[in-house]
Amino acid sequence: MAEAELHIDLGALVANWRALSDRSAGEAGAVVKADAYGLGLAPVAQALAEAGARRFFVALAEEGAALRAALGAGPEIFVFGGHMAGDAGLIRDAALVPLLNSPEQMARHLEAAPGAPFGIQLDSGMNRLGMEPADWAAVKGRALDLGPRLVMSHLACADESGHPMNARQLATFRQMTDGIEAPRSLGATGGVLMDPAYHFDLTRPGIGVYGGLPFAEARPVVTLRLPVIQTRQVAVGESVGYGMAWIAQEPTRIATVSGGYGDGLIRAMAPRLSFHHAGTPCPVRGRISMDLIGVDVTALPEPPETLELLGAHQRVDDLAEAAGTIGYEILTSLANGRYARRYSGA
Ligand SMILES: *Cc1c(COP(=O)(O)O)cnc(C)c1O
């Protein structure tokens, strides 16, 4: 095997979506922005559509156009970024539903595409995207007359279910939307796992579908195996890699694997990172290079052909912890890796 292999278990992915869908009081959509969190937009979205997902969310109109090409007509594709200048053609041709974020976006949409569908994004306290209460008050009557496909907002602290910000945002969202006829949406993965009061008509899970926290019961979706290029014996006192960052205290077998920060493997992980081989942990030694990593395989009876970085023994969130980041960043970092992608189980 010359190439590192990123394996995506679409069966596990679909099972995760179904589990989050079952827990949702209403319908569950699916968030597939950033190339389906780095795992591949078309195969992921097609598997979810086959499993019954009818509403998809992307960040940008360009992603929406790629998603429409993958899914064909039928599923509803919402764009979090709304209707940005220059997007009218993409929105029309791919039948996208922009989530209008401001009165300016609403004016732009109504002028460029009168009669075309839209949704509304409200800001309930995160101060990121969406209409603030005063914006909404100014356009609410007109917007609701036109029948928005969805009225949504997003929680800032849903990964901490007990955070007081959740209840504050829920109250604000309800103040802004109670009594409207349009379908409503507030919760992403974290929101699905909280009280059903946060679910409304449609939930928008992303990370949990891909096997990440806060959905602790998620099945792992990603396996990443890197090929070993060369194995060598290192004597006491010898160093491994750039900067002599690791020095052998005892005779050690080092396997050099093909993969590095040029493949989205974050360099800061090195001191806390292990690979696995048939369940045996094999710690990283020295620094992560652009294309190479030194791994201590002394514990293995034979020099391995491949070493596993992600899989049942080590999950996306374990890597995130080693890197001091979140699972979302680990997954999206993999998108630029030199990996052969293999899909199974759809
Ligand atoms: C990314 C995103 C989601 C999905 O969030 P997860 O935490 O991955 O489930 C939902 N809604 C909005 C507005 C988002 O930006």
Side-chain angles (χ1 to χ4, degrees):
M1 179 172 100
E3 235 180 340
E5 185 176 306
L6 185 66
H7 178 260
I8 291 129
D9 181 347
L10 294 173
L13 178 119
V14 160
N16 291 337
W17 181 77
R18 285 214 171 98
L20 291 165
S21 173
D22 287 348
R23 287 203 193 192
S24 298
E27 181 184 339
V31 179
V32 293
K33 62 196 182 192
D35 199 26
Y37 289 43
L39 301 188
L41 178 64
V44 164
Q46 284 161 357
L48 292 172
E50 223 155 278
R54 303 306 295 157
R55 296 197 161 77
F56 291 84
F57 294 86
V58 293
L60 308 170
E62 286 77 6
E63 294 179 317
L67 180 57
R68 179 63 72 203
L71 292 180
E76 208 159 28
I77 299 174
F78 293 97
V79 181
F80 289 134
H83 189 140
M84 292 167 68
D87 280 353
L90 278 177
I91 288 171
R92 183 189 53 236
D93 294 347
L96 307 177
V97 185
L99 290 157
L100 305 176
N101 286 300
S102 62
E104 294 70 29
Q105 283 202 344
M106 187 166 147
R108 178 184 292 139
H109 186 68
L110 296 183
E111 185 179 333
F118 66 91
I120 298 282
Q121 183 157 197
L122 300 175
D123 185 74
S124 54
M126 189 174 183
N127 286 310
R128 192 178 68 166
L129 275 184
M131 299 194 195
E132 306 247 338
D135 299 329
W136 179 228
V139 302
K140 185 175 179 181
R142 178 142 190 247
L144 293 179
D145 282 346
L146 293 168
R149 296 291 176 93
L150 189 67
V151 176
M152 59 146 301
S153 187
H154 192 51
L155 297 169
C157 301
D159 54 341
E160 285 179 65
S161 58
H163 198 293
M165 182 63 163
N166 295 322
R168 282 211 295 278
Q169 286 194 261
L170 175 61
T172 302
F173 185 61
R174 292 199 52 174
Q175 265 164 24
M176 292 170 88
T177 62
D178 270 356
I180 72 171
E181 270 173 31
R184 293 189 286 178
S185 175
L186 180 62
T189 300
V192 174
L193 302 174
M194 296 190 322
D195 186 274
Y198 288 87
H199 295 183
F200 295 91
D201 303 291
L202 180 69
T203 57
R204 308 185 308 274
I207 192 72
V209 177
Y210 306 101
L213 290 176
F215 188 28
E217 298 101 278
R219 283 174 54 183
V221 171
V222 184
T223 307
L224 177 60
R225 285 199 194 89
L226 304 187
V228 174
I229 302 177
Q230 192 182 13
T231 305
R232 76 185 67 244
Q233 191 65 30
V234 174
V236 173
E238 287 191 302
S239 62
V240 172
Y242 281 123
M244 301 177 71
W246 185 81
I247 295 175
Q249 305 295 313
E250 45 197 288
T252 305
R253 271 206 90 63
I254 294 290
T256 302
V257 297
S258 178
Y261 61 78
D263 301 294
L265 305 178
I266 298 165
R267 192 171 167 276
M269 298 192 287
R272 288 167 299 280
L273 190 64
S274 286
F275 283 71
H276 285 80
H277 186 78
T280 305
C282 302
V284 167
R285 298 303 188 204
R287 293 188 183 150
I288 292 176
S289 302
M290 191 182 293
D291 324 288
L292 300 165
I293 305 175
V295 184
D296 187 339
V297 295
T298 315
L300 302 181
E302 306 258 333
E305 278 180 29
T306 65
L307 285 163
E308 188 177 288
L309 186 58
L310 279 170
H313 300 291
Q314 184 159 263
R315 310 217 7 195
V316 166
D317 289 286
D318 298 317
L319 248 55
E321 201 180 309
T325 183
I326 53 177
Y328 302 71
E329 191 178 10
I330 296 295
L331 285 174
T332 53
S333 298
L334 297 176
N336 298 319
R338 291 161 283 182
Y339 305 123
R341 280 147 188 261
R342 308 237 190 284
Y343 295 88
S344 72

